[in-house]
Amino acid sequence: MPYDAKHGTSVKLRSQLWFDNPDDPDMTALYIERYMNWGLTREELQSGRPLIGIAQSGSDLAPCNRHHLVLAERVREGIREAGGIAFEFPVHPIQETGRRPTAALDRNLAYLGLVETLFGYPIDGVVLTTGCDKTTPSQLMAAATVNIPAIALSVGPMLNGWYRGVRTGSGTIKWLAKKLKAADEIGWAEYYELVASSAPSPGFCNTMGTATTMNSLAEALGMMLPGCAAIPAPHKERAQIAYLTGRRIVEMVREDLKPADIMTRAAFENAIVVNSAIGGSTNAPIHLVAIARHLGIELTNDDWERIGHAVPLLLDMQPAGRFLGEDFHRAGGVPAIVAELIEGGLLPHPGATTANGRTIGENCAGRRSWDREVIRAHDEPILAEAGFLNLKGNLFGSAIMKTSVISAAFRERYLSDPGDPDAFEGRAVVFDGREDYHARINDPELAIDERTILVMRGAGPVGYPGGAEVVNMQPPDALLKKGIMELPCIGDGRQSGTSGSPSILNAAPEAAIGGGLALLRTGDRIRIDLKTREANVLVPDEELAARRRALDETLAHGGPGYVPPSQTPWQEIQRQLVTQFDEGMVLKPAVKYRDVAHRYRPRDNH
Ligand SMILES: CC(C)(O)[C@@H](O)C(=O)O
């Protein structure tokens, strides 16, 4: 509904409440004078042109998004040409590889800041500059809450990394370098060289890590122009789509096309299917559930399994496959994946609306793969069932397992219980947080062998705090030297989207608030059944009940000792308000605020 009809004012655009409000010329004078002080004229600000925010997520602290500082010029040109005026402003930096203790702590902080900015300033529509992992969901969450017209612009992945003729992918190469170093095959100098080779240009991870995943899903949700997610940052098409995005947001304001019109339940179901087909990150369920909750859409990890598990893997990209971002883009990017899914009858809602005003089906139908090695045909997939499993049992109520990275060697070694090829059992070795893991992983007393299951607890939204990517646990050096490159891992934290290890992640509730992992002890046996989706510690119920009583006692006296104290005000605030991973790790009081730009009119400041 247009702004004037909803609020009974004589202004047509929200920004006119500040700059062109005939009902209050006195306040208009106050609001407009300072925005003219850098050269804008009264005529520009009072001519009914939409004022378009550019939510700038790039900075020197956020190298993955830094190229947005350059792209914003093309966005501005597009906005101007379509008759709008650009207002660029900063969003809180979120850099996964730079922020300690974890960038995930800042997703909700950036969300809060952006909600306040969009609500409290004269902005009619916004370009969200997405990139590194959490920069995408934080901005989509804010756009969902405020619900003014919004369109996302991906910064794009880096160019492919190369080392001695071999593709080196972000993050994924780090796991390999660690293994080579542990096996004494390389020294530190080559280690640095190898890892740095994977980052040859501006842009985010060139693997299907969380960044490419979340940008691809933003496109699948309909919040980007078609093809936007995968264009590498330095390519000319990246600057071209920045310009087109700027033009389009002005039209979206005129059409009053808002996030809640685009990000419907149907759009989320499409995104889940696309995530399976691209081999997307295990961080995606957390973020999509969060965005959905801010729109009032009930999305669960059961939905992820029900809608996504049977979908085939079509994209051969690291860590699930071989290729990198440039290859994905050249093969056709997200539109080619969607086209294959439509062809195979696998996309549930081809009629879902997207940011350009057309449906995802209209945008993508027929745009099939240019390179069948990189993006496979729907009937010749890399893997038949590539989606996530949602495991449950006496260790947790929900944990995600990414099936597309379970290697053949792993299947052979573990999923071979006689008569039960879907189950494996192992002895648990439990670590209380990352420091404990790094201090003890090579301790021979732990007797870690090829049937061990590594467990990390204390890494969740409350425990770490923020829910860190620290469940990337590798076997001890002795096993790596023997060629055992991966052990099954379980954790109440997250794992990098670039990791290829067979892991059970995002376990909720986490140990820090008394989840089942808190009851586990080194030496316990764990059984995982991929068919029944169960994960249980094989300890008699009476014994578990006794451990539960002891834990309750500890919790009553301030909680398990492995939860470190908060170090900053935000750590403490977020700990008090945050939900668990399976509920999106959102701030509990925040989700009730919906459509705030239409529901509320901000009060004047003088
Ligand atoms: C590679 C990183 C930094 O871990 C992240 O981007 C991810 O893919 O999860």
Side-chain angles (χ1 to χ4, degrees):
M1 187 187 288
Y3 198 81
D4 49 348
K6 187 108 184 180
H7 283 278
T9 75
S10 55
V11 305
K12 296 226 175 300
L13 290 170
R14 237 185 130 244
S15 60
Q16 290 175 315
L17 278 183
W18 281 257
F19 293 156
D20 194 13
N21 187 355
D23 306 335
D24 196 346
D26 176 45
M27 280 308 292
T28 297
L30 177 76
Y31 288 128
I32 204 168
E33 56 100 332
R34 211 50 61 95
Y35 287 92
M36 288 162 60
N37 83 348
W38 47 281
L40 290 170
T41 64
R42 230 184 108 185
E43 187 276 324
E44 280 170 292
L45 292 173
Q46 295 187 329
S47 55
R49 299 170 193 231
L51 299 193
I52 305 297
I54 302 175
Q56 180 54 265
S57 61
S59 70
D60 292 351
L61 283 179
C64 290
N65 290 42
R66 194 176 182 282
H67 192 54
H68 273 307
L69 299 173
V70 176
L71 294 174
E73 285 309 310
R74 293 297 284 146
V75 178
R76 280 173 180 279
E77 284 170 356
I79 291 170
R80 260 294 161 168
E81 196 179 291
I85 300 178
F87 277 70
E88 189 174 340
F89 61 87
V91 294
H92 182 88
I94 312 180
Q95 176 65 28
E96 178 63 47
T97 57
R99 169 70 158 116
R100 294 162 74 159
T102 168
L105 187 65
D106 286 2
R107 191 202 63 183
N108 292 337
L109 189 58
Y111 155 80
L112 288 177
L114 186 52
V115 166
E116 292 305 320
T117 307
L118 295 179
F119 180 65
Y121 284 92
I123 296 172
D124 297 307
V126 63
V127 175
L128 311 169
T129 63
T130 61
C132 185
D133 309 8
K134 268 71 71 183
T135 61
T136 306
S138 62
Q139 293 179 67
L140 290 176
M141 287 156 61
T145 296
V146 181
N147 203 26
I148 56 172
I151 189 168
L153 172 69
S154 170
V155 77
M158 293 182 280
L159 300 175
N160 288 357
W162 290 94
Y163 190 75
R164 298 186 180 164
V166 176
R167 280 181 182 78
T168 55
S170 322
T172 306
I173 197 62
K174 177 98 173 4
W175 318 128
L176 177 68
K178 264 184 134 171
K179 284 168 187 163
L180 294 174
K181 178 74 182 63
D184 292 328
E185 287 180 38
I186 57 172
W188 281 117
E190 198 174 350
Y191 187 105
Y192 278 101
E193 220 183 309
L194 187 55
V195 171
S197 74
S198 70
S201 79
F204 52 67
C205 291
N206 49 26
T207 39
M208 185 52 74
T210 310
T212 299
T213 300
M214 289 312 302
N215 281 279
S216 299
L217 299 190
E219 185 176 328
L221 280 171
M223 289 297 289
M224 281 178 184
L225 293 180
C228 179
I231 303 166
H235 279 204
K236 70 170 184 235
E237 294 103 304
R238 175 53 64 204
Q240 289 167 342
I241 207 156
Y243 161 75
L244 295 171
T245 300
R247 273 184 31 180
R248 177 62 195 152
I249 185 64
V250 179
E251 292 167 6
M252 288 172 77
V253 170
R254 296 202 172 110
E255 293 163 17
D256 199 31
L257 181 58
K258 299 185 294 301
D261 306 324
I262 296 172
M263 292 192 284
T264 57
R265 180 157 185 106
F268 282 95
E269 294 190 357
N270 282 343
I272 290 173
V273 168
V274 167
N275 189 70
S276 301
I278 62 177
S281 161
T282 48
N283 288 307
I286 303 169
H287 301 316
L288 249 59
V289 166
I291 302 164
R293 293 219 159 191
H294 283 290
L295 287 155
I297 296 170
E298 197 63 36
L299 195 72
T300 64
N301 285 348
D302 281 334
D303 291 326
W304 271 85
E305 181 182 304
R306 186 175 52 76
I307 299 162
H309 180 247
V311 176
L313 179 66
L314 302 182
L315 178 62
D316 192 346
M317 186 161 165
Q318 296 180 29
R322 296 170 294 165
F323 295 101
L324 294 173
E326 282 183 70
D327 311 301
F328 180 32
H329 170 55
R330 283 203 192 110
V334 174
I337 295 281
V338 172
E340 284 302 331
L341 291 168
I342 291 173
E343 187 75 15
L346 296 166
L347 191 80
H349 308 288
T353 300
T354 73
N356 68 1
R358 291 192 284 274
T359 67
I360 191 168
E362 287 165 349
N363 287 337
C364 303
R367 290 179 63 170
R368 296 181 67 188
S369 170
W370 296 113
D371 185 338
R372 288 275 183 230
E373 252 201 283
V374 179
I375 297 179
R376 300 281 187 90
H378 66 90
D379 48 1
E380 287 179 0
I382 298 157
L383 195 72
E385 294 179 334
F388 298 141
L389 296 178
N390 183 25
L391 302 179
K392 298 169 187 180
N394 61 11
L395 288 172
F396 37 73
S398 171
I400 290 290
M401 186 166 194
K402 179 173 174 176
T403 52
S404 58
V405 292
I406 301 179
S407 68
F410 182 87
R411 279 181 196 279
E412 202 170 306
R413 192 148 28 94
Y414 291 97
L415 299 176
S416 55
D417 273 4
D420 198 349
D422 291 304
F424 64 92
E425 256 183 58
R427 176 179 159 270
V429 170
V430 184
F431 299 101
D432 285 326
R434 85 170 286 286
E435 297 79 3
D436 188 30
Y437 161 76
H438 285 282
R440 294 197 299 135
I441 181 66
N442 286 313
D443 182 349
E445 296 223 331
L446 293 178
I448 296 173
D449 64 16
E450 43 268 80
R451 302 291 301 183
T452 298
I453 299 178
L454 304 177
V455 179
M456 185 183 288
R457 63 188 173 198
V462 174
Y464 204 70
E469 277 188 2
V470 291
V471 192
N472 304 304
M473 290 183 287
Q474 290 187 305
D477 293 353
L479 284 192
L480 291 174
K481 282 181 186 155
K482 276 170 58 184
I484 308 290
M485 294 311 202
E486 59 210 4
L487 289 176
C489 301
I490 299 179
D492 60 9
R494 299 177 302 113
Q495 194 172 70
S496 169
T498 62
S499 165
S501 87
S503 304
I504 295 166
L505 302 162
N506 314 344
E510 61 180 301
I513 62 163
L517 288 179
L519 305 177
L520 199 62
R521 291 183 186 161
T522 290
D524 287 344
R525 290 196 72 73
I526 292 176
R527 184 176 172 84
I528 311 289
D529 191 324
L530 300 186
K531 199 168 221 143
T532 61
R533 325 293 202 227
E534 278 173 297
N536 288 306
V537 54
L538 305 178
V539 167
D541 287 347
E542 317 79 71
E543 164 68 12
L544 267 191
R547 291 189 195 177
R548 168 67 62 192
R549 280 194 298 277
L551 177 72
D552 287 347
E553 187 79 3
T554 324
L555 284 170
H557 292 91
Y562 52 81
V563 178
S566 296
Q567 297 170 321
T568 62
W570 172 240
Q571 290 186 12
E572 183 173 333
I573 293 167
Q574 154 124 333
R575 273 180 155 148
Q576 286 168 10
L577 301 178
V578 77
T579 65
Q580 293 289 289
F581 281 133
D582 59 339
E583 294 178 347
M585 200 178 68
V586 293
L587 299 170
K588 284 172 216 162
V591 287
K592 65 177 178 292
Y593 289 91
R594 304 218 185 100
D595 199 23
V596 299
H598 300 88
R599 216 175 260 186
Y600 308 111
R601 178 175 163 159
R603 296 175 73 185
D604 284 304
N605 58 21
H606 282 87

